[in-house]
Amino acid sequence: MATRGHLGNLFCSSSAWEILNCILFWLHNQTKSPTPPPAKYGGRHTVTLIPGDGIGPELLNHVREVFRFSCVPVDFEVVNVNSALETDDDMNNAITAIRRNGIALKGNIETKHTMAPSVKSRNNLLRTSLDLYANVMHCQSLPGVQTRHKNIDIMIIRENTEGEYSSLEHESVSGVVESLKIITRNNSLRIADYAFKLAREKGRRRVTAVHKANIMKLGDGLFLQCCREVASGYPDITFDSMIVDNTTMQLVSKPHQFDVMVMPNLYGNVVSNVCAGLVGGPGLVPGANYGNAYAVFETATRNTGKSIAGKNIANPTAMLLASCMMLDHLKLYDHATMIRHAVLKTMNETRVSLPSLKGLSPHLPLCHEAHWSLF
Amino acid sequence: MVNSAYMKSISQIIYIENGLYKQCMQTVTLIPGDGIGPEISSAVMKIFEAAKAPIRWEERNVTAIKGPGGRWMIPPDAKESMDRSKIGLKGPLKTPIAAGHPSMNLLLRKTFDLYANVRPCVSIEGYKTPYTDVNLVTIRENTEGEYSGIEHVIVDGVVQSIKLITEDASRRIAEYAFEYARNNQRTSVTAVHKANIMRMSDGLFLRKCREVAENYKDIKFTEMYLDTVCLNMVQDPTQFDVLVMPNLYGDILSDLCAGLIGGLGVTPSGNIGANGVAIFESVHGTAPDIAGLDMANPTALLLSAVMMLRHMGLHDYGNKIQTACFDTIRDKKVLTKDLGGNSKCSEFTAEICRRIQDMA
């Protein structure tokens, strides 16, 4: 028991009691699922890990700790990206690593304003290079967290590669800058299809498209039209649409009317942050970016959190839940369920000081609490 | 071109009559609007009469007419009245679909170059929402940005919308924001942007804000990403004071803040234009289903009228009317249906008038 917390080894800590517990636990679970999950080499998966900036490295260290403790058969290939450099070599290495492993867990990479405008956001570059077209975020109220609105359960699906984030800008005349927002039929159909498929898979009843087609008649009009076309193929799911400013107003007054929401890139940014705020803050909600071939997991609100970095106060819940989503993707369902259960049990027992969800009290105890809860 | 309360007060003619200072009546162009517009406008006029505010109303209608050259414009008498009085109060206008002309709000905006949309959002005691102690102002650039209306179909299935940011418009809105903060005793201005993604356009906006901030050292200037603002706004709105931002973010955030205090039915709004023109309006819809039934809630238009009084320098009248309105809502005895009561619009108005007369 004294070795709990010393996690230098790749495998479980050396106490015999703990190994026994481990074995007993897995044996118990083995009887439930006789078919072993698929794995890459020697029964272990390799996942690319991009620590990023700010609170990213410390949150991902927590994830690694918990994984070692739970004997998760995952090895991390760490790729560091230095956001201060102007060249893209680091990013290219990261993208190659993700192509090789197929899956990644990442912290947010800072985009410094002081650099030239030609240096684009690294996070965006990663998403577009790997064609991670769907950003999925599941906002659920947690019973142990005090918020103004209770029992929120909204899924947000956001188009992740185009729209306002095309990074196509030019200064045509001095003092006049044009920024292009691109909406394409293919991507709009793709994201709408993804949304409806996910809604059906999860047993959801309604999909709401968020847009501003009264003003951007061609762009958002095209998006809305594509959503309607896809909706006609899913008669069991109700489809409606709402203008983005009305959506934010409704979210803060009556959030329970929303079920699944699908939207272009920028509105997705706004709506996902509003919803994250409604359920308790950026430290609680995990996010996933899915493409046809690759998947990258991170916190839903993608904050660098520079102001709280290094102080041991960042909330690891979002990143831990994101790692559980990753384990689900790897079909390591048992490990995912176990860690998720441990994290949520710790969150909902309010004796761990989590009212300060903006990160004002030490959260490393949370990790150790999670470890205790695993057994 | 900056409109301050100071400049407005200069335009008031003060003369002595019988040993007393008496303020001359000021003209305001009133556009009642459609649907519930006429009812709430007459409610506001009654309340102003009870408060003995020195305002002379000039009612005008705005319906789009085709001018010479085939361009849509507002009726010339409305334009002339507004150019003369410089101050307008507008009710809700309906936007007919497929009428062939742009929305009336857009026409007004273009005619008078209404570049700043100001929405103060203050929690109303007595109208309970999950958010208390909200006290912030959103100032939104109203002429360019994502709403430039420039869109093209590049090839079939690919559409491009252009977001336009110019130096002049950014500087103008930043200057207005800081002037507003100074004139209304606000302590900080926050620029909302997404310069990590839209490096050049929002970068330009941000640079202009920073430059203008140099001239207003007494006001704290901060910058925050749009997503961070949204995240923090729904958790703790008290950390925000004055927010300045381009068009789309302003649209979204101002409606978000309206939702925090109770919706569009209680939110005032003002549009400031070049050449000293200012039009204050209620931003809710025309509510055709309750038009003419004496059920409408005049609070939004009334609070916009109070904003107008403050803009004109008539702070005493503004405070009196606002206090009467908030007291009525706090008492909860006479409330319209949308505020949770059962009274008619006329009863609500009468109650406010009674309170004003009791205050005098």
Side-chain angles (χ1 to χ4, degrees):
Chain A
M1 287 299 184
T3 56
R4 192 187 294 274
H6 293 286
L7 298 163
N9 301 333
L10 205 55
F11 303 100
C12 284
S13 63
S14 53
S15 149
W17 174 240
E18 287 166 50
I19 295 174
L20 189 62
N21 264 338
C22 227
I23 294 170
L24 288 173
F25 196 91
W26 298 137
L27 279 174
H28 173 67
N29 281 332
Q30 284 293 345
T31 53
K32 283 194 280 191
S33 51
T35 317
K40 289 259 177 93
Y41 308 111
R44 301 184 65 81
H45 298 262
T46 309
V47 169
T48 309
L49 189 82
I50 303 171
D53 300 306
I55 53 174
E58 55 192 85
L59 293 181
L60 290 167
N61 279 340
H62 293 321
V63 170
R64 280 195 271 190
E65 265 191 58
V66 172
F67 273 27
R68 281 190 209 122
F69 219 80
S70 327
C71 308
V72 176
V74 165
D75 293 321
F76 286 112
E77 182 189 346
V78 181
V79 184
N80 283 309
V81 175
N82 187 348
S83 54
L85 294 179
E86 298 228 345
T87 58
D88 280 338
D89 289 341
D90 276 353
M91 266 328 285
N92 290 335
N93 288 342
I95 292 170
T96 312
I98 300 175
R99 286 210 168 102
R100 184 168 51 237
N101 297 319
I103 192 163
L105 191 59
K106 78 181 261 289
N108 204 40
I109 304 164
E110 190 192 351
T111 308
K112 289 187 166 51
H113 295 182
T114 45
M115 296 199 285
S118 51
V119 180
K120 307 288 180 207
S121 156
R122 274 24 183 293
N123 304 299
N124 206 22
L125 186 61
L126 198 143
R127 291 191 286 267
T128 47
S129 311
L130 298 170
D131 199 26
L132 302 169
Y133 64 90
N135 177 253
V136 179
M137 180 178 156
H138 188 183
C139 281
Q140 261 179 317
S141 291
L142 299 177
V145 179
Q146 286 299 322
T147 51
R148 292 180 175 90
H149 307 272
K150 313 273 175 227
N151 300 323
I152 294 179
D153 190 353
I154 304 175
M155 290 202 77
I156 298 170
I157 293 143
R158 159 188 176 186
E159 208 291 325
N160 221 3
T161 54
E162 56 172 25
E164 297 81 350
Y165 287 40
S166 315
S167 301
L168 295 166
E169 295 179 301
H170 52 266
E171 192 162 0
S172 34
V173 173
S174 168
V176 176
V177 176
E178 286 185 352
S179 172
L180 303 183
K181 163 180 165 167
I182 311 284
I183 301 274
T184 59
R185 197 174 156 69
N186 284 344
N187 287 348
S188 304
L189 284 173
R190 192 165 64 163
I191 194 67
D193 202 45
Y194 187 92
F196 277 90
K197 278 208 176 79
L198 191 65
R200 189 175 262 175
E201 198 186 309
K202 303 280 180 191
R204 301 288 200 153
R205 304 254 47 89
R206 197 157 112 235
V207 171
T208 307
V210 178
H211 66 95
K212 191 84 190 161
N214 52 339
I215 304 287
M216 286 181 257
K217 299 186 167 73
L218 292 183
D220 285 355
L222 176 60
F223 180 80
L224 203 54
Q225 190 191 338
C226 293
C227 289
R228 286 201 182 107
E229 277 176 34
V230 173
S232 57
Y234 292 81
D236 51 324
I237 299 179
T238 323
F239 172 72
D240 57 10
S241 62
M242 200 183 268
I243 301 184
V244 61
D245 40 6
N246 191 20
T247 307
T248 50
M249 204 177 346
Q250 297 295 324
L251 275 170
V252 294
S253 40
K254 300 186 200 105
H256 302 101
Q257 58 184 292
F258 296 105
D259 194 359
V260 176
M261 300 165 82
V262 63
M263 58 205 88
N265 217 331
L266 183 69
Y267 311 146
N269 187 229
V270 171
V271 170
S272 57
N273 275 272
V274 170
C275 291
L278 290 177
V279 299
L284 291 186
V285 192
N289 304 287
Y290 295 107
N292 285 327
Y294 311 109
V296 173
F297 300 88
E298 54 180 351
T299 61
T301 48
R302 301 172 179 166
N303 303 104
T304 331
K306 277 191 305 203
S307 55
I308 57 172
K311 297 182 187 158
N312 198 18
I313 58 176
N315 191 336
T317 308
M319 198 57 93
L320 285 170
L321 291 176
S323 65
C324 295
M325 287 175 81
M326 182 191 80
L327 292 174
D328 278 329
H329 191 82
L330 288 172
K331 299 193 184 8
L332 296 169
Y333 301 117
D334 295 328
H335 295 269
T337 313
M338 179 175 70
I339 297 175
R340 189 176 286 131
H341 177 76
V343 171
L344 292 177
K345 209 170 97 169
T346 315
M347 276 295 304
N348 295 332
E349 283 167 23
T350 48
R351 60 189 166 84
V352 181
S353 50
L354 281 163
S356 48
L357 286 166
K358 285 176 244 169
L360 295 173
S361 72
H363 283 297
L364 201 52
L366 165 62
C367 251
H368 288 193
E369 289 288 343
H371 298 170
W372 279 98
S373 301
L374 288 170
F375 294 95
Chain B
M1 274 299 297
V2 168
N3 290 313
S4 64
Y6 170 69
M7 284 171 73
K8 281 294 130 210
S9 58
I10 285 180
S11 67
Q12 288 172 20
I13 304 163
I14 304 176
Y15 63 92
I16 302 173
E17 185 180 292
N18 296 335
L20 295 168
Y21 281 99
K22 204 170 191 177
Q23 281 173 339
C24 193
M25 297 289 272
Q26 285 213 70
T27 313
V28 168
T29 308
L30 176 69
I31 301 166
D34 308 306
I36 53 171
E39 297 168 58
I40 54 178
S41 304
S42 66
V44 168
M45 287 199 283
K46 275 202 200 85
I47 294 171
F48 270 51
E49 214 182 293
K52 298 196 185 38
I55 304 285
R56 181 174 52 234
W57 302 102
E58 249 182 44
E59 270 193 52
R60 291 284 181 272
N61 258 323
V62 289
T63 38
I65 58 171
K66 237 187 176 151
R71 275 182 53 219
W72 290 101
M73 50 186 242
I74 64 171
D77 61 336
K79 183 165 191 308
E80 180 268 334
S81 168
M82 190 68 80
D83 282 336
R84 194 172 12 94
S85 62
K86 299 287 189 198
I87 307 280
L89 185 66
K90 175 177 94 59
L93 291 173
K94 71 170 183 259
T95 302
I97 305 171
H101 63 78
S103 82
M104 289 317 304
N105 292 315
L106 185 62
L107 263 183
L108 278 169
R109 206 175 299 145
K110 285 216 148 73
T111 313
F112 299 107
D113 194 17
L114 301 173
Y115 66 90
N117 179 260
V118 182
R119 238 187 243 190
C121 293
V122 182
S123 283
I124 298 180
E125 210 184 322
Y127 189 40
K128 210 163 171 330
T129 60
Y131 299 88
T132 52
D133 302 330
V134 178
N135 187 359
L136 51 89
V137 181
T138 55
I139 298 180
R140 158 193 174 190
E141 206 291 325
N142 221 0
T143 58
E144 55 173 27
E146 297 82 349
Y147 293 9
S148 53
I150 311 170
E151 290 185 290
H152 316 106
V153 178
I154 318 259
V155 288
D156 192 28
V158 178
V159 174
Q160 133 190 327
S161 303
I162 296 189
K163 162 179 166 164
L164 203 65
I165 298 276
T166 58
E167 219 177 276
D168 290 335
S170 305
R171 193 182 332 108
R172 192 166 63 164
I173 193 70
E175 274 172 4
Y176 180 78
F178 279 94
E179 270 301 319
Y180 182 91
R182 199 177 255 174
N183 292 336
N184 290 275
Q185 289 83 45
R186 295 282 183 168
T187 46
S188 74
V189 170
T190 306
V192 180
H193 64 97
K194 265 218 86 65
N196 52 344
I197 302 290
M198 286 175 260
R199 305 292 301 279
M200 285 174 77
S201 38
D202 282 356
L204 174 61
F205 178 79
L206 212 52
R207 263 202 317 279
K208 289 296 135 198
C209 287
R210 282 183 197 140
E211 280 172 24
V212 172
E214 294 296 311
N215 300 333
Y216 291 84
K217 293 285 191 196
D218 50 325
I219 308 216
K220 184 164 163 252
F221 173 69
T222 47
E223 313 165 354
M224 213 186 254
Y225 288 132
L226 172 67
D227 41 5
T228 314
V229 171
C230 288
L231 189 59
N232 292 339
M233 184 72 78
V234 296
Q235 291 182 78
D236 181 20
T238 57
Q239 55 186 286
F240 296 105
D241 196 356
V242 176
L243 299 161
V244 63
M245 57 211 119
N247 217 330
L248 176 68
Y249 313 151
D251 194 8
I252 299 176
L253 269 181
S254 57
D255 277 4
L256 178 67
C257 299
L260 296 177
I261 62 169
L264 297 179
V266 292
T267 309
S269 170
N271 298 292
I272 311 296
N275 306 319
V277 173
I279 301 185
F280 298 85
E281 60 177 354
S282 58
V283 285
H284 54 71
T286 51
D289 48 334
I290 57 169
L293 301 176
D294 200 19
M295 283 170 65
N297 177 2
T299 307
L301 193 63
L302 186 62
L303 291 177
S304 304
V306 166
M307 242 181 108
M308 177 189 80
L309 287 170
R310 293 205 173 108
H311 180 88
M312 293 157 81
L314 300 168
H315 295 273
D316 292 334
Y317 295 101
N319 290 338
K320 214 188 325 182
I321 296 173
Q322 186 178 298
T323 314
C325 181
F326 283 174
D327 283 347
T328 311
I329 297 178
R330 187 177 39 235
D331 259 357
K332 296 196 202 194
K333 291 207 192 79
V334 190
L335 290 177
T336 49
K337 194 140 176 275
D338 61 313
L339 292 174
N342 269 323
S343 309
K344 294 188 170 302
C345 175
S346 43
E347 290 167 12
F348 183 70
T349 312
E351 176 68 16
I352 298 179
C353 292
R354 188 187 65 76
R355 279 180 195 271
I356 293 175
Q357 273 149 0
D358 287 346
M359 264 191 244

